[in-house]
Amino acid sequence: MPQPRIVRIPILPFGVINCHLVVGDRGCVLVDTGVPGSHRKIERALQAHGRSLKDIRLIVVTHAHMDHAGSAARVRELSGAPILAHAGDLPYYERRKAMTYCATGWVSRLFFRTGVIVRPYQPFTPDIVLADGEALDLAPYGVAGRARHTPGHTAGSVSIELDGGDAMVGDLLASGVLLGGLVRTQHARRPPFEDDPKTVALQLERLVASGMQTFHLGHGGPLPAREVLRHAQWLGRQRPGRMYHGPAPCRCEMPQAGASARQ
């Protein structure tokens, strides 16, 4: 199978928030969907590469934070593509449980208090739900690679590993000053929130050992494997930060009946 193209879709300038489009010969896999309302930017990116929303064959949501899952329900509605996610974050996708956020520093704590990260988004039930440690072959969706459970940032974090050595890892790590940014863009750093740094470190080390060479991030990047490994070795010595709780979900915000059946 030919190597796919990887298209970064900037949801905010300077790589502050990224989605990624994996363009294969037989369709596209969309990795993350940005904040609510990002479907228009995703559609424009597809059009720039001669594709449309209907060419999306799979939507992968790396974790349940608003800036990654915010437009998933809308993109599924417009494209008809199924959503893949992990069971560990399922209560948050369905808004049955308040999301928790473990801050990684004082900037993170201030960011949480702005309320931006806890903005609600349209709830949804993924069509394909991975179990712990499970991976899914992406060949049926036109891409040589797999989606794999990579916990640590959240319990249900998922990464994409392509056979060519590219990995899309969501928020397992970030880069740049104030996420993305104009300086230190090749320097790995912790994202604003991270549940379990030691587990993240183990996942990053495994990804490098498995042959992943270039890491595409939700914030900043991309980063080479050597920088990811340096960060992972440091991260393994860190402790989780203070936990914050998002607002309790509204009981009325439940997925529409019959929206999707889990596989």
Side-chain angles (χ1 to χ4, degrees):
M1 186 177 292
Q3 292 298 317
R5 288 178 291 155
I6 299 171
V7 178
R8 181 163 76 168
I9 304 175
I11 302 302
L12 289 180
F14 308 121
V16 173
I17 298 177
N18 303 312
C19 303
H20 291 90
L21 191 66
V22 185
V23 183
D25 285 349
R26 294 186 288 114
C28 306
V29 173
L30 177 65
V31 185
D32 284 328
T33 64
V35 300
S38 297
H39 61 280
R40 297 179 183 86
K41 292 183 178 179
I42 293 169
E43 184 173 24
R44 287 197 292 270
L46 282 158
Q47 291 171 347
H49 289 82
R51 307 295 179 107
S52 73
L53 286 166
K54 295 298 183 181
D55 289 306
I56 298 175
R57 299 188 60 186
L58 181 68
I59 302 161
V60 177
V61 181
T62 62
H63 62 284
H65 287 165
M66 176 274 298
D67 51 336
H68 296 259
S71 291
R74 182 61 172 149
V75 174
R76 178 172 65 182
E77 178 184 347
L78 294 170
S79 67
I83 296 174
L84 178 147
H86 185 271
D89 283 6
L90 184 59
Y92 311 123
Y93 295 128
E94 295 183 338
R95 291 192 58 75
R96 293 185 282 107
K97 185 177 179 181
M99 191 96 203
T100 58
Y101 304 83
C102 291
T104 58
W106 66 270
V107 173
S108 310
R109 294 189 288 272
L110 290 176
F111 181 39
F112 180 83
R113 293 189 180 104
T114 68
V116 172
I117 191 63
V118 298
R119 280 180 57 196
Y121 54 83
Q122 184 180 349
F124 62 90
T125 299
D127 305 278
I128 304 168
V129 181
L130 295 181
D132 286 353
E134 189 177 5
L136 179 78
D137 184 9
L138 297 178
Y141 303 96
V143 171
R146 64 215 58 82
R148 189 185 301 276
H149 180 215
T150 51
H153 179 65
T154 66
S157 289
V158 173
S159 295
I160 298 296
E161 305 170 17
L162 300 182
D163 288 357
D166 288 276
M168 273 128 281
V169 298
D171 282 3
L172 290 188
L173 74 167
S175 77
V177 173
L178 297 178
L179 297 184
L182 296 174
V183 296
R184 294 179 70 79
T185 56
Q186 292 297 300
H187 181 79
R189 55 169 293 176
R190 298 174 77 179
F193 306 101
E194 181 177 68
D195 286 2
D196 186 343
K198 289 182 172 59
T199 299
V200 172
L202 289 173
Q203 292 297 330
L204 292 174
E205 289 172 349
R206 181 196 62 77
L207 284 161
V208 173
S210 72
M212 296 299 105
Q213 301 168 8
T214 304
F215 287 70
H216 304 267
L217 318 179
H219 308 287
L223 292 174
R226 63 181 181 278
E227 174 61 13
V228 173
L229 186 59
R230 180 203 64 78
H231 175 75
Q233 292 169 345
W234 170 84
L235 186 64
R237 302 189 296 271
Q238 308 309 307
R239 296 181 178 180
R242 178 180 173 182
M243 181 180 290
Y244 292 82
H245 291 265
C250 173
R251 290 182 180 272
C252 63
E253 291 183 349
M254 294 300 294
Q256 296 178 2
S260 299
R262 294 179 220 165
Q263 294 186 0

